[in-house]
Amino acid sequence: MRMRAGSLLLLALAFANACTGGEKESNSAKPKQDRWTVPGEPPLRELVRTGAFGDSRLTEASGVAASVTEPGVFWSQNDRGNAATLYAYDSTGVSLGTVRVRGAENTDWEAIALGPCANGLCLYIGDVGDNYAARAEVRVWRVAAPVTSARDTEAPASLRIVYPGGARDVEAMWVAPDTSLWFATKRPNPDASGQLRASQLYRVAAAAWSVNAVATAEWIDSLPIVPGTSVSRDWVTDASLSAVMPGGRRRLAILTYGSVYVFDADPVTGRPGAQMARCAVPPGERNAEGVTWLPDGRLMLVNEGRGAKLYRGHCPGADLLGR
């Protein structure tokens, strides 16, 4: 039986619709939005996996600091319950040795940063981790910037710190040019009504190092980062303050499990200002614990875990080269 062209077209369309389940089924088959990604958020550009940690003892790398005295050397530390040891490695993760911090204890070393001190350049180690916000006080250790040829540091200076209103869960720390210390809270922190608060900023003035007493951190402000409860993508895990840029400004990188936020920063006090950019961390990575600026304006990210990966990239429009 012959059929008209119009009838043939209708029959073909009906057959195609039956095979695909119709328009409704077709839309439902589209990939769901990953809760770890933010629509429109650009990834880190020129992203390169540079290597992985070769030292099997470095299993809980909870921060990274790029050496100034030895270009190409990076320092990290294991966190809670591990030895008071610093681990040196190159950008590919190859071990360059370890240095013991003589006389220090590692309750929960969650942060590490290079910064100025009275003797020149020092490494600041933040024994500030407190997952359950239960520690009566936390501590920051300070030693002269180590070198890979050493086996032990000098005896460190230490500063005991409390927060107003009680303990806080903190993993991000940076040191300002005036040697004040900055901290940003990590986890969800709902208010009395259940509304989630933004990450809170605290500061310890430089003068606290010269007083033989427990320092109380001063609440300063909040960051435009709200750690959530359904997924940990915006839990704040690390921070890094850049060197001085052309024009005298600095940049502050704040790392979360899902993104790198970049802020303008006061060149003297280290206080974060306007948000410049936000970029997604490498796809599939959910344990980024360390970030540091590189001399060429890019960022290095390190993950936590045995043989964890290292990455290098830049956040468009907000790195030190202005790309």
Side-chain angles (χ1 to χ4, degrees):
M1 181 176 64
R2 295 181 64 184
M3 299 182 68
R4 294 181 179 180
S7 298
L8 284 170
L9 178 59
L10 290 172
L11 182 60
L13 289 174
F15 180 77
N17 191 55
C19 290
T20 60
E23 183 179 354
K24 184 176 181 180
E25 285 295 319
S26 178
N27 287 341
S28 66
K30 292 180 180 179
K32 294 182 179 179
Q33 180 70 39
D34 182 357
R35 293 184 302 164
W36 285 82
T37 60
V38 174
E41 181 182 44
L44 287 167
R45 301 287 174 81
E46 299 174 16
L47 184 66
V48 177
R49 176 185 166 183
T50 62
F53 289 130
D55 192 328
S56 61
R57 297 168 296 176
L58 184 54
T59 59
E60 300 287 337
S62 292
V64 57
S67 174
V68 174
T69 55
E70 295 179 291
V73 174
F74 300 88
W75 294 95
S76 284
Q77 81 291 354
N78 280 322
D79 60 23
R80 182 173 49 186
N82 284 283
T85 301
L86 302 170
Y87 294 81
Y89 51 92
D90 67 16
S91 64
T92 68
V94 170
S95 176
L96 300 176
T98 61
V99 176
R100 183 176 66 95
V101 183
R102 181 159 48 94
E105 299 175 357
N106 182 350
T107 302
D108 198 353
W109 286 12
E110 285 286 359
I112 188 170
L114 280 167
C117 58
N119 298 325
L121 186 66
C122 283
L123 189 67
Y124 292 74
I125 305 162
D127 192 346
V128 295
D130 192 3
N131 288 342
Y132 302 104
R135 295 177 65 179
E137 63 182 39
V138 295
R139 187 185 296 254
V140 173
W141 304 92
R142 184 178 70 185
V143 295
V147 292
T148 54
S149 60
R151 289 296 169 263
D152 296 90
T153 70
E154 62 185 17
S158 69
L159 180 63
R160 296 156 59 202
I161 299 168
V162 297
Y163 298 99
R168 299 289 183 270
D169 182 18
V170 168
E171 292 188 6
M173 176 188 77
W174 64 99
V175 183
D178 64 2
T179 71
S180 57
L181 301 173
W182 289 85
F183 306 94
T185 58
K186 177 184 180 179
R187 293 173 186 257
N189 181 24
D191 61 20
S193 67
Q195 185 74 24
L196 291 175
R197 296 185 178 97
S199 175
Q200 301 295 297
L201 280 176
Y202 292 90
R203 176 180 176 269
V204 174
W209 287 98
S210 61
V211 178
N212 188 23
V214 178
T216 299
E218 177 188 9
W219 179 86
I220 299 295
D221 204 344
S222 59
L223 291 168
I225 304 173
V226 182
T229 55
S230 62
V231 67
S232 57
R233 61 153 282 117
D234 268 340
W235 292 17
V236 177
T237 63
D238 201 21
S240 179
L241 185 66
S242 78
V244 177
M245 298 171 53
R249 303 299 293 175
R250 293 177 184 263
R251 292 280 189 266
L252 175 69
I254 298 285
L255 177 67
T256 74
Y257 285 127
S259 300
V260 178
Y261 291 77
V262 181
F263 299 88
D264 182 45
D266 186 279
V268 176
T269 67
R271 179 171 180 161
Q275 181 178 320
M276 309 299 294
R278 183 186 67 198
C279 294
V281 301
E285 298 296 348
R286 300 292 184 261
N287 58 349
E289 290 272 354
V291 63
T292 191
W293 291 97
L294 299 174
D296 64 4
R298 289 176 294 178
L299 292 163
M300 171 167 276
L301 275 61
V302 302
N303 289 331
E304 188 180 56
R306 189 181 302 276
K309 291 171 280 191
L310 297 79
Y311 291 91
R312 182 179 65 226
H314 76 92
C315 195
D319 66 16
L320 303 190
L321 301 182
R323 291 176 290 186

